[in-house]
Amino acid sequence: MRRSLLKRFVARLMLLMLVACAQVTPYSRAAAQTRSVSPSRTTESFDKDWRFLKSDAKGAEGAGFDDSSWRGLDVPHDWSIEGPFDEKNPTGGAGGFLPAGVGWYRKHFTLPASASHRHVFIDFDGIMANSDVWINGFHLGHRPYGYVSFRYELTGHLNFGSDKQNVLAVRADNSGQPASRWYTGAGLYRHVRLVITDPVHIEHWSTFVTTPKVEVAEATVRVESTVVNQSDAPRNVSLQITLLDPDGRAIQNVSTKAQEIAAGKSVDFRQEIAVRSPKIWDIDHPYIYRAVTQVRAGRSTLDDETTTFGIREFHFDAATGFWLNGRNFKIKGVCLHHDASAFGAAVPLSAWERRLEALKQLGVNAIRTAHNPPSPEFLDLCDRMGFLVMDEMFDCWTVGKNPFDYHLYFREWSLVDLRDTVRRDRNHPSIIIYSAGNEIHDTQKAELAKEILTSLVAAFHESDPTRPVTQALFRPNVSHDYDNGLADLLDVVGQNYRENEILAAHQQKPSRKILGTENGHTREAWIALRDNPPYAGQFLWAGVDYLGESRQWPNVADNFGLLDRTDRRKPIAFQRESWWSAHPMVYITRRVAPTPLAPTDPGYGTAAQERRPQVLLSDWTPRERETHEENVEVYSNCEQVELFLNGKSLGAKQRPNDDSPRNWKVPFAPGTLKAVGMNNGQSVATYELRTAGKPAKILLTTERSSLAPVWDDVAFVEAVVVDENGVVVPSANDLISFKVTGPGAVVAVDSADNNSHEPFQATERRAYQGRCFAILKASAPSGRITLTATANGLTSNTITINSVATPASNGAQAR
């Protein structure tokens, strides 16, 4: 009896330890700063203490190579973002005029003697680009595509014991340029982990959790996984699966039948589990479950793994568009590249969270990962915040868009990269569709394109039969994709822009499910989506301004975003909010003609000068202060908007049926311009602009009250130049200097100026339209971080952030 009780107690204790290891914090996957140790598996962040060289080095793969003079740093690290910007850099405007080349990373480490009988792996979330990896001089492999995650096994090439060093060496080479149409970054720009397992363990990325039945009363959760036996003897094992609900409580604990696995072989396991009264993952309530999977041999746990998932049902319908959990609504998406301005491609998770929260407030509910697989923690964040995701693979197939594009490797690597990415990503509830490519130029050769697309769609379905596949078709009427059968190889037909064409393609064949994979900000594009039920959704180009895709120096970034590079809303973002958000809002902007080009400006005297668009300005401080008339444009989803100038009504206007803005011609007078939005005769939203005086002082603001000393936690502090009354001075371009005291540092500075060549790794920045940012990190788990901003002729300002041990959970993280 005592032995039985003891056995049950030990089993329960091991389960509790696993549950504790399975708890997911906002930053747990991104980079655990210490080891994550379960009874059977060790996962250790390998981000710290690398040595780096920004050039090639003969023999640097060898364990005995002298790297003592190399720069010490932690990863993720994007060395290209450190600059400098230079018109002569080979990346050109597409790469934001930032540098490219070869970078080496080396890490020295030891392993305990107790690990000598176990299997050791290294996981890279992404290396940009053309990477080669060595362990103690042994070449592990080569991966050309910088956006994919991959694993190498180190077993058999390691030294064990506290006095025996190991050296992991990584060479990343993006010297062949141009190689992209946007900024890619360079180096070891995503997280790295060391994983130690038993010889009998769960195969990497083999666990697949699906929900084939989703009802209010009960859902079915299906768990599939593969166990591999790398020992020299057969083993008899089973899988024990514990489901944890969104609150972390164990709600089911089941075991599969035991199976024998021969030495060097693997066995697949599958188990269906009923969940009563499930909490459904939805964009408004993104509930996350966890499946803790243990490999059991009798009383022993040989390996374990935790997989997050959501219980939800979705589908596309040819007649009515997109459905999620029985609810039909429009996909209101944006396209995002993978950089975050001052951070380049090495983006802290809290920076992504800040960006996604700003988009969510506009009514955005979906993200297209343009045009490549994102980091795994980005998808975790989308899961937690309730975004839908189009997971895109490629920007080209066999026909490149640049001399050193992925087309050079497509035939050899595309199916490998695709399989790895789908197996990595398929448990994310946020992902609703895969994209096989963006604006693929192979479609000019119909038979070639159909052959390739057939193989890609089959590969997607082989690794994940639960999700549809689309492609962002490029001028399909020119390449006859709707007539030659290519479009109908897709589960959901996607097209970039030309909304009338995809609607006509649906009318031609009503069984087609259709989706806008890339669309402009125009009202006509929105109306095409709003008024056509079959049109499932759209993804705007773009959600946020991004580095690269510059047409001409000195510009270094693209400006098609709803948000600027610092994540501030542009005026067009408020127009989009008036269409996409249900929350009452009103916003004022001035529509003015662009400033004439000077003879020395790029584009002067060319056709581009005539095509320059009108400019939207959100201020009541025009350069011309004398009497003149302003074209005031108001965006609102309210039934009625009334405009006031210095308290005097300029009239009220009803909401147009075609969602066009409400415009007033207003003779300028300094003071306050105010808009009041009303529903049912009641004021529900207000917005006002005030005329600014001369620059007088700096104001500092931040969304963060605390900051933890982990790589993924950062605080954006905005410095604003204001007049004596606190009104932003839109013409201010003062050079603002930042100084920190306490346990923190300024890790980057930034502004929305897409023509600025100032370094991001600095402690001063020139204000652009009256604003710039300092970005802080903490260096200790307690204390007060104080930031002071100064500028000549302005009153300085100070702000304080508390340093804490662990990142604070805000609403998005806590869901």
Side-chain angles (χ1 to χ4, degrees):
M1 181 68 177
R2 288 181 178 178
R3 182 174 297 176
S4 176
L5 289 173
L6 179 61
K7 178 180 175 182
R8 289 163 59 188
F9 172 76
V10 171
R12 178 63 177 168
L13 179 61
M14 293 183 69
L15 176 61
L16 289 173
M17 292 174 66
L18 283 168
V19 169
C21 291
Q23 300 305 306
V24 177
T25 68
Y27 306 105
S28 59
R29 183 202 290 262
Q33 297 302 308
T34 58
R35 286 185 178 183
S36 170
V37 182
S38 74
S40 51
R41 172 183 289 226
T42 299
T43 301
E44 179 181 358
S45 169
F46 241 41
D47 288 349
K48 286 187 173 296
D49 301 325
W50 289 79
R51 295 177 184 177
F52 170 70
L53 180 70
K54 192 173 70 172
S55 66
D56 212 349
K58 186 176 180 180
E61 71 276 9
F65 182 87
D66 182 9
D67 57 17
S68 59
S69 64
W70 290 17
R71 172 184 168 191
L73 51 76
D74 298 338
V75 302
H77 171 242
D78 174 7
W79 65 260
S80 181
I81 199 63
E82 297 172 2
F85 291 101
D86 191 326
E87 187 177 7
K88 297 179 181 178
N89 276 330
T91 58
F97 297 104
L98 283 160
V102 175
W104 276 92
Y105 297 81
R106 287 169 54 92
K107 183 176 174 68
H108 299 251
F109 65 100
T110 61
L111 290 171
S114 60
S116 61
H117 65 287
R118 295 168 71 77
H119 281 246
V120 184
F121 305 87
I122 191 75
D123 289 351
F124 293 97
D125 285 345
I127 304 174
M128 189 62 69
N130 297 297
S131 67
D132 289 274
V133 182
W134 294 264
I135 182 66
N136 295 327
F138 177 82
H139 186 242
L140 295 168
H142 171 79
R143 295 298 287 256
Y145 199 25
Y147 297 106
V148 293
S149 302
F150 52 91
R151 163 178 284 190
Y152 292 125
E153 183 163 5
L154 310 184
T155 311
H157 309 290
L158 293 166
N159 304 311
F160 295 92
S162 59
D163 60 339
K164 296 182 179 179
Q165 285 275 318
N166 297 281
V167 178
L168 187 66
V170 177
R171 181 181 186 270
D173 180 4
N174 72 340
S175 56
Q177 293 292 337
S180 175
R181 297 186 301 111
W182 60 89
Y183 176 78
T184 64
L188 240 175
Y189 75 107
R190 290 181 183 169
H191 293 291
V192 186
R193 289 172 301 281
L194 188 77
V195 180
I196 304 175
T197 72
D198 188 89
V200 180
H201 55 265
I202 298 168
E203 185 180 89
H204 191 41
W205 292 329
S206 70
T207 301
F208 187 21
V209 183
T210 56
T211 53
K213 173 189 170 184
V214 179
E215 296 176 357
V216 174
E218 184 178 278
T220 299
V221 175
R222 179 183 296 154
V223 181
E224 301 171 82
S225 195
T226 300
V227 177
V228 61
N229 180 5
Q230 290 186 282
S231 74
D232 55 6
R235 298 297 298 269
N236 199 55
V237 302
S238 63
L239 280 191
Q240 180 173 308
I241 303 164
T242 302
L243 296 186
L244 309 179
D245 72 8
D247 296 319
R249 296 173 297 196
I251 56 171
Q252 284 281 25
N253 187 12
V254 299
S255 295
T256 67
K257 291 183 179 180
Q259 298 188 61
E260 183 177 279
I261 310 177
K265 301 295 182 180
S266 62
V267 168
D268 297 331
F269 289 85
R270 174 171 167 167
Q271 183 71 43
E272 292 195 350
I273 307 169
V275 176
R276 294 182 178 177
S277 302
K279 291 185 175 180
I280 307 298
W281 186 95
D282 196 270
I283 59 174
D284 298 320
H285 302 93
Y287 293 113
I288 302 295
Y289 283 77
R290 292 182 283 279
V292 181
T293 307
Q294 298 173 265
V295 180
R296 303 277 291 173
R299 300 178 184 177
S300 301
T301 299
L302 305 181
D303 191 23
D304 66 86
E305 181 180 75
T306 299
T307 304
T308 57
F309 68 98
I311 297 175
R312 80 319 181 228
E313 184 279 332
F314 74 89
H315 65 274
F316 289 83
D317 181 81
T320 56
F322 180 73
W323 294 76
L324 178 65
N325 303 320
R327 187 162 64 97
N328 181 216
F329 59 87
K330 296 293 187 182
I331 295 171
K332 301 172 181 177
V334 296
C335 304
L336 290 182
H337 277 315
H338 74 305
D339 81 275
S341 197
F343 292 111
V347 185
L349 193 61
S350 58
W352 275 126
E353 184 172 32
R354 178 176 180 267
R355 175 164 288 186
L356 292 184
E357 186 60 41
L359 291 168
K360 200 175 188 73
Q361 290 174 6
L362 300 178
V364 174
N365 62 22
I367 304 296
R368 176 192 180 204
T369 65
H371 302 291
N372 47 262
S375 65
E377 68 268 19
F378 176 84
L379 295 174
D380 288 339
L381 190 60
C382 290
D383 292 343
R384 291 199 306 273
M385 295 184 69
F387 280 94
L388 307 172
V389 173
M390 177 191 294
D391 197 357
E392 191 156 62
M393 276 303 304
F394 307 117
D395 190 48
C396 67
W397 295 347
T398 66
V399 180
K401 301 173 183 177
N402 290 285
F404 295 93
D405 263 343
Y406 184 74
H407 71 286
L408 299 175
Y409 318 105
F410 184 86
R411 288 291 190 187
E412 179 181 0
W413 284 102
S414 60
L415 293 181
V416 175
D417 290 339
L418 187 155
R419 181 179 185 272
D420 284 351
T421 298
V422 174
R423 286 168 63 85
R424 184 198 75 169
D425 294 350
R426 60 188 177 177
N427 292 306
H428 288 281
S430 57
I431 296 175
I432 57 167
I433 195 166
Y434 297 111
S435 170
N438 170 66
E439 296 185 351
I440 299 300
H441 291 186
D442 299 61
T443 56
Q444 298 297 322
K445 304 174 183 178
E447 295 309 311
L448 170 66
K450 287 192 287 185
E451 173 197 338
I452 294 172
L453 182 57
T454 297
S455 68
L456 294 178
V457 171
F460 276 114
H461 289 166
E462 181 182 10
S463 291
D464 183 359
T466 70
R467 291 178 175 88
V469 179
T470 190
Q471 178 186 332
L473 295 179
F474 177 63
R475 300 179 182 175
N477 283 4
V478 175
S479 50
H480 305 289
D481 300 341
Y482 292 131
D483 305 319
N484 62 24
L486 185 138
D488 294 318
L489 295 174
L490 299 166
D491 303 312
V492 177
V493 177
Q495 179 176 335
N496 288 3
Y497 307 103
R498 304 187 181 199
E499 293 77 17
N500 59 319
E501 290 185 8
I502 194 170
L503 290 170
H506 177 270
Q507 188 174 17
Q508 175 192 29
K509 190 174 182 180
S511 60
R512 286 173 172 152
K513 303 168 185 177
I514 60 171
L515 176 65
T517 40
E518 186 172 313
N519 301 87
H521 297 287
T522 66
R523 184 171 54 87
E524 290 76 16
W526 159 236
I527 296 301
L529 175 63
R530 186 193 71 176
D531 294 349
N532 289 279
Y535 210 173
Q538 293 178 342
F539 290 86
L540 302 178
W541 193 267
V544 187
D545 286 359
Y546 54 91
L547 293 170
E549 205 162 357
S550 163
R551 273 63 175 176
Q552 193 169 12
W553 179 269
N555 178 264
V556 297
D558 186 276
N559 66 346
F560 280 97
L562 292 172
L563 312 179
D564 66 31
R565 293 195 341 260
T566 68
D567 301 333
R568 282 192 57 83
R569 302 182 191 185
K570 298 180 184 179
I572 59 168
F574 292 92
Q575 183 176 45
R576 184 61 50 171
E577 183 183 10
S578 74
W579 297 338
W580 281 10
S581 175
H583 184 75
M585 59 79 61
V586 65
Y587 181 82
I588 308 171
T589 188
R590 296 185 294 121
R591 183 173 289 276
V592 301
T595 303
L597 292 179
T600 56
D601 290 336
Y604 177 79
T606 68
Q609 181 176 358
E610 304 304 319
R611 294 195 301 267
R612 297 178 74 216
Q614 290 183 311
V615 178
L616 297 172
L617 299 176
S618 183
D619 65 63
W620 195 235
T621 311
R623 293 185 178 184
E624 300 178 26
R625 294 301 180 91
E626 62 272 13
T627 301
H628 66 282
E629 193 172 64
E630 289 285 346
N631 181 3
V632 173
E633 192 160 293
V634 176
Y635 308 132
S636 180
N637 54 13
C638 297
E639 297 168 0
Q640 181 176 287
V641 172
E642 188 170 6
L643 191 67
F644 297 85
L645 178 59
N646 295 325
K648 180 182 178 181
S649 177
L650 303 180
K653 297 189 178 184
Q654 301 297 313
R655 182 177 184 177
N657 291 331
D658 63 358
D659 270 345
S660 58
R662 282 163 263 200
N663 290 79
W664 283 260
K665 296 293 185 180
V666 181
F668 174 75
T672 301
L673 186 67
K674 180 178 181 180
V676 178
M678 291 172 283
N679 288 335
N680 299 317
Q682 300 295 317
S683 173
V684 292
T686 61
Y687 189 83
E688 66 178 38
L689 299 174
R690 291 188 291 165
T691 305
K694 295 180 179 181
K697 53 188 176 181
I698 302 169
L699 291 184
L700 296 179
T701 58
T702 183
E703 304 99 336
R704 302 295 300 274
S705 60
S706 63
L707 197 55
V710 297
W711 188 90
D712 277 292
D713 204 15
V714 296
F716 286 74
V717 179
E718 185 178 32
V720 184
V721 179
V722 299
D723 66 9
E724 287 291 352
N725 298 314
V727 179
V728 179
V729 182
S731 61
N733 64 349
D734 302 81
L735 182 64
I736 299 180
S737 298
F738 299 98
K739 183 178 180 180
V740 168
T741 59
V746 176
V747 295
V749 292
D750 207 354
S751 75
D753 186 358
N754 288 337
N755 290 326
S756 172
H757 304 144
E758 300 165 277
F760 295 116
Q761 294 74 32
T763 56
E764 62 181 20
R765 188 78 176 189
R766 192 166 293 281
Y768 175 70
Q769 295 180 351
R771 303 173 186 272
C772 64
F773 282 84
I775 306 170
L776 309 185
K777 280 191 176 184
S779 57
S782 62
R784 291 168 64 83
I785 304 168
T786 300
L787 175 72
T788 300
T790 59
N792 289 335
L794 301 179
T795 302
S796 62
N797 198 213
T798 297
I799 196 168
T800 299
I801 299 174
N802 293 320
S803 182
V804 295
T806 58
S809 291
N810 64 24
Q813 295 168 336
R815 289 190 181 114

